[in-house]
mmCIF file of all heavy atoms in Angstrom:
data_model
loop_
_atom_site.group_PDB
_atom_site.id
_atom_site.type_symbol
_atom_site.label_atom_id
_atom_site.label_comp_id
_atom_site.label_asym_id
_atom_site.label_seq_id
_atom_site.Cartn_x
_atom_site.Cartn_y
_atom_site.Cartn_z
ATOM 1 N N GLN F 964 -74.878 -42.506 195.983
ATOM 2 C CA GLN F 964 -75.394 -43.107 197.204
ATOM 3 C C GLN F 964 -76.887 -42.810 197.315
ATOM 4 O O GLN F 964 -77.352 -41.789 196.842
ATOM 5 C CB GLN F 964 -74.685 -42.557 198.450
ATOM 6 C CG GLN F 964 -73.210 -42.878 198.524
ATOM 7 C CD GLN F 964 -72.366 -41.875 197.782
ATOM 8 O OE1 GLN F 964 -72.633 -40.688 197.802
ATOM 9 N NE2 GLN F 964 -71.346 -42.355 197.111
ATOM 10 N N GLU F 965 -77.603 -43.711 197.972
ATOM 11 C CA GLU F 965 -79.041 -43.583 198.226
ATOM 12 C C GLU F 965 -79.851 -43.392 196.944
ATOM 13 O O GLU F 965 -80.714 -42.527 196.857
ATOM 14 C CB GLU F 965 -79.330 -42.460 199.226
ATOM 15 C CG GLU F 965 -78.776 -42.755 200.605
ATOM 16 C CD GLU F 965 -79.305 -41.817 201.659
ATOM 17 O OE1 GLU F 965 -80.440 -41.342 201.525
ATOM 18 O OE2 GLU F 965 -78.574 -41.573 202.623
ATOM 19 N N VAL F 966 -79.563 -44.223 195.945
ATOM 20 C CA VAL F 966 -80.268 -44.149 194.670
ATOM 21 C C VAL F 966 -81.747 -44.480 194.853
ATOM 22 O O VAL F 966 -82.613 -43.864 194.245
ATOM 23 C CB VAL F 966 -79.606 -45.096 193.641
ATOM 24 C CG1 VAL F 966 -80.412 -45.133 192.360
ATOM 25 C CG2 VAL F 966 -78.182 -44.643 193.372
ATOM 26 N N ARG F 967 -82.052 -45.467 195.698
ATOM 27 C CA ARG F 967 -83.430 -45.879 196.016
ATOM 28 C C ARG F 967 -84.237 -46.280 194.787
ATOM 29 O O ARG F 967 -85.412 -45.979 194.674
ATOM 30 C CB ARG F 967 -84.158 -44.788 196.782
ATOM 31 C CG ARG F 967 -83.556 -44.537 198.133
ATOM 32 C CD ARG F 967 -84.355 -43.537 198.912
ATOM 33 N NE ARG F 967 -83.669 -43.241 200.157
ATOM 34 C CZ ARG F 967 -83.962 -42.249 200.934
ATOM 35 N NH1 ARG F 967 -84.948 -41.446 200.619
ATOM 36 N NH2 ARG F 967 -83.299 -42.046 202.037
ATOM 37 N N MET F 968 -83.579 -46.931 193.859
ATOM 38 C CA MET F 968 -84.264 -47.490 192.699
ATOM 39 C C MET F 968 -83.977 -48.984 192.689
ATOM 40 O O MET F 968 -82.840 -49.403 192.514
ATOM 41 C CB MET F 968 -83.768 -46.860 191.396
ATOM 42 C CG MET F 968 -84.222 -45.439 191.188
ATOM 43 S SD MET F 968 -83.665 -44.747 189.627
ATOM 44 C CE MET F 968 -84.705 -45.598 188.466
ATOM 45 N N ALA F 969 -85.007 -49.777 192.869
ATOM 46 C CA ALA F 969 -84.827 -51.224 192.974
ATOM 47 C C ALA F 969 -84.353 -51.841 191.667
ATOM 48 O O ALA F 969 -83.637 -52.828 191.670
ATOM 49 C CB ALA F 969 -86.140 -51.866 193.407
ATOM 50 N N ASN F 970 -84.714 -51.259 190.541
ATOM 51 C CA ASN F 970 -84.389 -51.851 189.243
ATOM 52 C C ASN F 970 -83.431 -50.996 188.430
ATOM 53 O O ASN F 970 -83.610 -50.829 187.232
ATOM 54 C CB ASN F 970 -85.674 -52.101 188.447
ATOM 55 C CG ASN F 970 -86.581 -53.082 189.135
ATOM 56 O OD1 ASN F 970 -86.118 -54.069 189.682
ATOM 57 N ND2 ASN F 970 -87.863 -52.809 189.132
ATOM 58 N N PHE F 971 -82.410 -50.453 189.058
ATOM 59 C CA PHE F 971 -81.427 -49.659 188.319
ATOM 60 C C PHE F 971 -80.621 -50.608 187.450
ATOM 61 O O PHE F 971 -80.001 -51.536 187.935
ATOM 62 C CB PHE F 971 -80.515 -48.893 189.283
ATOM 63 C CG PHE F 971 -79.922 -47.666 188.663
ATOM 64 C CD1 PHE F 971 -80.602 -46.470 188.716
ATOM 65 C CD2 PHE F 971 -78.712 -47.712 188.006
ATOM 66 C CE1 PHE F 971 -80.085 -45.330 188.147
ATOM 67 C CE2 PHE F 971 -78.177 -46.574 187.423
ATOM 68 C CZ PHE F 971 -78.863 -45.383 187.491
ATOM 69 N N SER F 972 -80.625 -50.407 186.159
ATOM 70 C CA SER F 972 -80.069 -51.369 185.221
ATOM 71 C C SER F 972 -78.921 -50.787 184.403
ATOM 72 O O SER F 972 -78.609 -49.600 184.496
ATOM 73 C CB SER F 972 -81.167 -51.818 184.257
ATOM 74 O OG SER F 972 -81.538 -50.726 183.423
ATOM 75 N N PHE F 973 -78.337 -51.638 183.589
ATOM 76 C CA PHE F 973 -77.299 -51.214 182.655
ATOM 77 C C PHE F 973 -77.828 -50.108 181.749
ATOM 78 O O PHE F 973 -77.145 -49.128 181.480
ATOM 79 C CB PHE F 973 -76.821 -52.417 181.829
ATOM 80 C CG PHE F 973 -75.772 -52.072 180.821
ATOM 81 C CD1 PHE F 973 -74.452 -51.874 181.211
ATOM 82 C CD2 PHE F 973 -76.091 -51.939 179.492
ATOM 83 C CE1 PHE F 973 -73.476 -51.549 180.292
ATOM 84 C CE2 PHE F 973 -75.122 -51.619 178.552
ATOM 85 C CZ PHE F 973 -73.810 -51.424 178.954
ATOM 86 N N ASN F 974 -79.071 -50.248 181.279
ATOM 87 C CA ASN F 974 -79.665 -49.222 180.406
ATOM 88 C C ASN F 974 -79.791 -47.885 181.116
ATOM 89 O O ASN F 974 -79.575 -46.834 180.506
ATOM 90 C CB ASN F 974 -81.034 -49.679 179.886
ATOM 91 C CG ASN F 974 -80.914 -50.803 178.897
ATOM 92 O OD1 ASN F 974 -79.891 -50.967 178.249
ATOM 93 N ND2 ASN F 974 -81.953 -51.602 178.782
ATOM 94 N N ASN F 975 -80.160 -47.904 182.409
ATOM 95 C CA ASN F 975 -80.219 -46.655 183.171
ATOM 96 C C ASN F 975 -78.831 -46.009 183.226
ATOM 97 O O ASN F 975 -78.706 -44.791 183.083
ATOM 98 C CB ASN F 975 -80.717 -46.892 184.590
ATOM 99 C CG ASN F 975 -82.163 -47.302 184.660
ATOM 100 O OD1 ASN F 975 -82.467 -48.377 185.141
ATOM 101 N ND2 ASN F 975 -83.056 -46.459 184.197
ATOM 102 N N CYS F 976 -77.820 -46.825 183.465
ATOM 103 C CA CYS F 976 -76.449 -46.302 183.542
ATOM 104 C C CYS F 976 -76.021 -45.692 182.210
ATOM 105 O O CYS F 976 -75.432 -44.610 182.176
ATOM 106 C CB CYS F 976 -75.468 -47.397 183.943
ATOM 107 S SG CYS F 976 -75.639 -47.938 185.643
ATOM 108 N N CYS F 977 -76.319 -46.379 181.110
ATOM 109 C CA CYS F 977 -75.968 -45.856 179.780
ATOM 110 C C CYS F 977 -76.670 -44.540 179.501
ATOM 111 O O CYS F 977 -76.067 -43.602 178.975
ATOM 112 C CB CYS F 977 -76.325 -46.870 178.699
ATOM 113 S SG CYS F 977 -75.324 -48.363 178.740
ATOM 114 N N ARG F 978 -77.930 -44.472 179.870
ATOM 115 C CA ARG F 978 -78.707 -43.248 179.650
ATOM 116 C C ARG F 978 -78.141 -42.086 180.473
ATOM 117 O O ARG F 978 -78.046 -40.960 180.000
ATOM 118 C CB ARG F 978 -80.164 -43.497 180.019
ATOM 119 C CG ARG F 978 -81.107 -42.440 179.525
ATOM 120 C CD ARG F 978 -82.517 -42.886 179.733
ATOM 121 N NE ARG F 978 -82.775 -43.099 181.151
ATOM 122 C CZ ARG F 978 -83.876 -42.722 181.763
ATOM 123 N NH1 ARG F 978 -84.835 -42.139 181.098
ATOM 124 N NH2 ARG F 978 -84.036 -42.939 183.042
ATOM 125 N N LEU F 979 -77.727 -42.378 181.689
ATOM 126 C CA LEU F 979 -77.157 -41.348 182.550
ATOM 127 C C LEU F 979 -75.786 -40.911 182.054
ATOM 128 O O LEU F 979 -75.478 -39.728 181.989
ATOM 129 C CB LEU F 979 -77.058 -41.880 183.985
ATOM 130 C CG LEU F 979 -76.498 -40.938 185.031
ATOM 131 C CD1 LEU F 979 -77.405 -39.722 185.175
ATOM 132 C CD2 LEU F 979 -76.352 -41.652 186.354
ATOM 133 N N TRP F 980 -74.951 -41.882 181.678
ATOM 134 C CA TRP F 980 -73.569 -41.598 181.281
ATOM 135 C C TRP F 980 -73.482 -40.987 179.891
ATOM 136 O O TRP F 980 -72.598 -40.206 179.603
ATOM 137 C CB TRP F 980 -72.749 -42.878 181.361
ATOM 138 C CG TRP F 980 -71.295 -42.623 181.358
ATOM 139 C CD1 TRP F 980 -70.428 -42.846 180.323
ATOM 140 C CD2 TRP F 980 -70.497 -42.085 182.411
ATOM 141 N NE1 TRP F 980 -69.163 -42.495 180.680
ATOM 142 C CE2 TRP F 980 -69.169 -42.017 181.963
ATOM 143 C CE3 TRP F 980 -70.797 -41.649 183.702
ATOM 144 C CZ2 TRP F 980 -68.142 -41.534 182.753
ATOM 145 C CZ3 TRP F 980 -69.766 -41.167 184.489
ATOM 146 C CH2 TRP F 980 -68.466 -41.117 184.017
#
Side-chain angles (χ1 to χ4, degrees):
Q964 296 86 39
E965 294 193 30
V966 174
R967 295 185 185 167
M968 288 182 73
N970 298 319
F971 205 88
S972 68
F973 179 77
N974 290 335
N975 292 119
C976 290
C977 292
R978 194 171 61 138
L979 181 63
W980 196 254

